[in-house]
Amino acid sequence: MTLDGFPDLPEFPPGEVWLAGAGPGDPRLLTVLALHAVTVADDIVHDALVDPRVLRLARKDAVLLPAGKRGGKPSPKQDEINALLIDRARAGRRVLRLKGGDPFVFGRGWDEVTALSEAQLRFRIIPGLTAGLAGAALAGIPATSRDTNHAVVLAAGHRAEGQSTADWEALGRLGQPLILYMPMTQLEEIVAALQRGGLAAETPATLIQSATVDGERIVESRLDALAADAQHHRLGSPCIAVIGEIAALRKEVFASMVGWS
């Protein structure tokens, strides 16, 4: 792929592994370098949340290897994914490890690059738009606003083992907005802990399911009603939760926003 007047895109040599973020979902949110990688890779080891339209951009003879982790469902272990990347690269393949969002934001990208480094394999990192920030922005919610906050906290709502270790009460005392990734299985417990930490019950909160793709749903709420509203609207994963004053800013601008579709 070439673009007039654009810097040359790097060669993807056989035996290298490129670790790329596919963004929050919509293929139009791929970075130029991620798009380049998808179109030239021999093997694409992809997560379950990578949109099928992104995978259809691959070469007809490319090998697509699913390696997604979905809560409560059988999925490959991280050591198995690491071994797959190493084996395919050592076989002289151009290996693309394609993850939803950004590979270094709750994507276990560091686990994979350290394994590649220990195997003395060359790799390239291609950041992507992380769903928590991009999904919120496209819903009309800024991560920061001069009038509301000087920081924002990104937190994982669960661990792969199903038990969060985040100190939610401490996060509730920070007084800064939170953006939670995949919080649905523990949402009630998280909300209760945030309130024990001092976060007010009336704190604005918004849930965004399937950000940027067909089926996206947005539910505006407040902290003390968030879990009940999620259940009432039958929201599920993938979902992000935005908790804090920034969540209330959406109503000020949403009427004038141009739709993404």
Side-chain angles (χ1 to χ4, degrees):
M1 181 178 65
T2 58
L3 299 172
D4 290 341
F6 201 79
D8 290 340
L9 295 172
E11 181 184 355
F12 195 161
E16 277 192 6
V17 180
W18 288 13
L19 192 73
D26 192 301
R28 293 169 293 183
L29 294 174
L30 283 171
T31 66
V32 172
L33 191 50
L35 176 59
H36 167 62
V38 170
T39 59
V40 300
D42 297 319
D43 298 338
I44 301 179
V45 182
H46 63 89
D47 281 353
L49 292 180
V50 174
D51 193 285
R53 293 171 293 177
V54 173
L55 299 176
R56 288 198 290 269
L57 298 171
R59 291 170 16 208
K60 293 185 183 300
D61 61 342
V63 178
L64 304 182
L65 300 163
K69 293 178 175 293
R70 300 301 295 268
K73 297 181 181 180
S75 57
K77 299 183 183 301
Q78 189 60 54
D79 287 347
E80 295 172 343
I81 297 173
N82 296 348
L84 176 63
L85 299 176
I86 291 168
D87 289 346
R88 305 297 287 199
R90 284 178 172 166
R93 307 285 287 177
R94 299 175 182 87
V95 183
L96 173 61
R97 177 66 172 111
L98 191 61
K99 295 173 171 286
D102 181 282
F104 276 9
V105 181
F106 306 123
R108 297 201 177 191
W110 186 249
D111 296 10
E112 294 169 4
V113 299
T114 53
L116 294 169
S117 181
E118 289 171 3
Q120 298 185 326
L121 290 168
R122 291 174 58 83
F123 62 87
R124 181 184 295 273
I125 299 166
I126 304 173
L129 294 174
T130 185
L133 300 180
L138 292 170
I141 300 173
T144 62
S145 158
R146 184 172 57 182
D147 298 326
T148 58
N149 60 307
H150 64 269
V152 63
V153 177
L154 306 183
H158 78 294
R159 297 179 66 197
E161 295 80 6
Q163 179 64 43
S164 175
T165 58
D167 187 345
W168 297 110
E169 292 185 26
L171 291 179
R173 290 191 287 270
L174 288 178
Q176 298 297 331
L178 310 174
I179 297 179
L180 310 183
Y181 291 65
M182 299 295 190
M184 303 308 286
T185 58
Q186 292 185 270
L187 188 58
E188 189 172 354
E189 293 84 354
I190 291 170
V191 166
L194 290 174
Q195 290 187 85
R196 288 195 302 271
L199 200 57
E202 64 271 18
T203 300
T206 297
L207 292 167
I208 306 171
Q209 177 185 289
S210 301
T212 80
V213 298
D214 291 343
E216 178 183 81
R217 301 173 67 198
I218 300 174
V219 173
E220 297 175 323
S221 183
R222 45 184 270 171
L223 182 62
D224 59 351
L226 194 61
D229 284 345
Q231 185 174 11
H232 174 74
H233 291 280
R234 298 182 179 180
L235 296 185
S237 294
C239 195
I240 59 174
V242 182
I243 300 171
E245 293 304 316
I246 57 173
L249 297 178
R250 179 175 187 264
K251 64 178 179 292
E252 298 181 17
V253 300
F254 186 71
S256 299
M257 285 186 65
V258 176
W260 177 242
S261 60

